[in-house]
Amino acid sequence: CWVCLVVLGYLFEKMVYTQNFKSIIFAKKRAHAKYKVSCYPRDYNEFFNLRARYKFEYKSCYKSFLTQTQCLLKTYPRFFWDCPKK
């Protein structure tokens, strides 16, 4: 999953989440709702594990975003400076 800025409508694209990351988000939401209804410790443990996986995936996507953005800014610095002018 990589992310970059939207500049001039091309070259830099929006953040793209992997399908795995999306499935973790939805599973985490379902697990949290299930825990809120039942209040069972087992349901909380399931939610806790999904939350940990979510944080790990999010950090890896963000690191990928930084790497990709820095690479694109080194290659095409003009696009970065054209954006504030408009």
Side-chain angles (χ1 to χ4, degrees), residues 59-76:
K59 287 179 183 178
S60 69
C61 284
Y62 186 69
K63 285 180 184 179
S64 177
F65 160 73
L66 291 178
T67 304
Q68 187 69 24
T69 302
Q70 288 173 355
C71 178
L72 289 172
L73 287 176
K74 286 179 186 176
T75 308
Y76 304 102

Side-chain angles (χ1 to χ4, degrees), residues 16-80:
V16 177
Y17 294 110
T18 62
Q19 190 63 33
N20 183 34
F21 187 67
K22 290 179 185 178
S23 66
I24 290 171
I25 291 172
F26 293 123
K28 183 177 78 85
K29 287 182 180 183
R30 284 192 303 269
H32 185 260
K34 184 178 177 182
Y35 166 69
K36 285 300 207 179
V37 170
S38 69
C39 293
Y40 290 137
R42 187 177 70 201
D43 292 337
Y44 179 75
N45 287 338
E46 180 184 349
F47 167 69
F48 180 80
N49 291 333
L50 286 168
R51 186 173 57 184
R53 285 178 53 203
Y54 166 80
K55 288 180 180 181
F56 176 77
E57 286 288 326
Y58 182 81
K59 287 179 183 178
S60 69
C61 284
Y62 186 69
K63 285 180 184 179
S64 177
F65 160 73
L66 291 178
T67 304
Q68 187 69 24
T69 302
Q70 288 173 355
C71 178
L72 289 172
L73 287 176
K74 286 179 186 176
T75 308
Y76 304 102
R78 180 179 66 92
F79 292 122
F80 176 75

Side-chain angles (χ1 to χ4, degrees), residues 2-21:
W2 60 277
V3 183
C4 32
L5 304 172
V6 177
V7 178
L8 301 178
Y10 65 99
L11 182 65
F12 297 95
E13 296 181 14
K14 293 181 182 178
M15 184 165 187
V16 177
Y17 294 110
T18 62
Q19 190 63 33
N20 183 34
F21 187 67

